[in-house]
């Protein structure tokens, strides 16, 4: 249910469980985390899904059995954030719940026009994964983060783009080609230069201030 295509120095990771809205089991999350931990040599990692939904979050049965509180989500998002290469979430559809963490940890997020974004953990009686609120607030600010996490709002792609939650809206048939185009300059540069620029773009102290834009 997790596909990995290693085309030289570009790795494309695809969630392939469209009959279940790409909901994630513990085994799938562990496999995703292991792939990301092994991708230290990849120049570019593209994360996407099959079907019309990127991921509905946790598999419902496993969530009830404890997956919603598992530290495997944090392991996965931490592994994505630690990638030295460029990471791109190519969101083929709606992104919900704990699946938000891996996309928030990516360097870039592009999405199809019909994608929606929501994280209904409070309604379900859970806390979000520890790093997710800070990463979201770094992108869109604390008030809009509360709008999603506490206000329970479902954000459409155009509003997500205006907020800064995603970086570009791309038609579905062009999604992976556009991700490859975004990766082209990174692949052409030396690994030292590319990783050096990524480090220079990181906010001081690891926290982005949306008020000062620094």
């Amino acid at each position: 249910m997790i596909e990995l295509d290693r085309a030289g120095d570009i790795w494309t990771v695809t969630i392939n469980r469209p009959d279940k809205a790409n909901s994630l089991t513990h085994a799938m999350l562990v496999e995703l985390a292991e792939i990301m931990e092994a991708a230290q040599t990849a120049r570019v990692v593209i994360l996407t899904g099959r079907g019309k939904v990127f991921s509905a979050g946790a598999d419902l049965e496993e969530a009830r059995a404890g997956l919603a509180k598992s530290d495997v989500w944090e392991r996965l998002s931490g592994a994505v954030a630690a990638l030295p290469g460029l990471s791109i979430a190519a969101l083929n559809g709606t992104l919900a719940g704990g699946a938000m963490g891996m996309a928030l940890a990516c360097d870039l997020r592009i999405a199809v026009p019909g994608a929606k974004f929501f994280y209904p953990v409070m309604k379900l009686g859970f806390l979000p994964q520890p790093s997710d609120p800070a990463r979201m607030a770094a992108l869109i600010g604390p008030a809009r983060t509360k709008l999603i996490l506490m206000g329970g709002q479902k954000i459409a792609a155009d509003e997500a783009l205006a907020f800064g939650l995603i970086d570009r809206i791309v038609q579905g048939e062009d999604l992976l080609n556009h991700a490859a185009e975004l990766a082209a300059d990174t692949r052409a540069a030396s690994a030292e230069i590319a990783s050096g620029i990524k480090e220079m773009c990181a906010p001081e102290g690891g926290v982005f201030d949306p008020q000062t834009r620094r």
Side-chain angles (χ1 to χ4, degrees):
M1 288 182 277
I2 304 298
E3 300 173 356
L4 172 61
D5 176 26
R6 295 176 60 170
D9 52 11
I10 183 166
W11 292 25
T12 302
V13 184
T14 305
I15 303 169
N16 186 8
R17 200 191 184 199
D19 57 316
K20 297 290 186 180
N22 286 336
S23 59
L24 298 160
T25 65
H26 184 270
M28 292 168 70
L29 288 163
V30 169
E31 187 173 356
L32 283 166
E34 288 175 346
I35 288 171
M36 296 303 171
E37 288 163 355
Q40 295 297 304
T41 58
R43 301 295 306 282
V44 178
V45 175
I46 298 172
L47 183 58
T48 192
R50 298 275 183 213
K52 297 183 178 180
V53 176
F54 173 75
S55 178
D59 176 87
L60 286 178
E61 287 187 17
E62 292 202 19
R64 296 188 191 103
L67 181 60
K69 296 181 179 179
S70 172
D71 60 3
V72 69
W73 301 93
E74 194 75 2
R75 176 186 171 190
L76 171 56
S77 64
V80 174
L83 289 169
L86 180 68
S87 54
I88 303 172
L91 304 170
N92 55 295
T94 291
L95 171 62
M100 189 85 75
M102 64 180 120
L104 291 170
C106 285
D107 298 313
L108 301 174
R109 284 153 296 279
I110 60 177
V112 298
K116 293 181 174 61
F117 305 84
F118 58 105
Y119 201 153
V121 282
M122 189 171 73
K123 181 179 180 181
L124 296 172
F126 301 114
L127 288 171
Q129 295 308 309
S131 296
D132 291 356
R135 287 194 178 111
M136 190 182 294
L139 293 171
I140 66 176
R144 287 170 173 169
T145 298
K146 291 169 191 170
L147 187 71
I148 294 171
L149 293 178
M150 301 184 75
Q153 295 301 290
K154 186 178 289 187
I155 307 299
D158 55 351
E159 191 171 24
L161 180 64
F163 280 9
L165 188 62
I166 60 175
D167 303 299
R168 194 162 283 174
I169 296 173
V170 182
Q171 293 299 321
E173 62 272 19
D174 298 324
L175 188 68
L176 290 180
N177 285 337
H178 191 69
E181 289 174 12
L182 293 174
D185 280 6
T186 292
R187 295 181 70 193
S190 73
E192 265 188 346
I193 293 296
S195 61
I197 289 175
K198 179 168 177 171
E199 289 176 12
M200 292 171 74
C201 290
E204 291 183 17
V207 179
F208 176 75
D209 184 344
Q211 303 303 317
T212 64
R213 309 302 297 173
R214 294 188 296 176

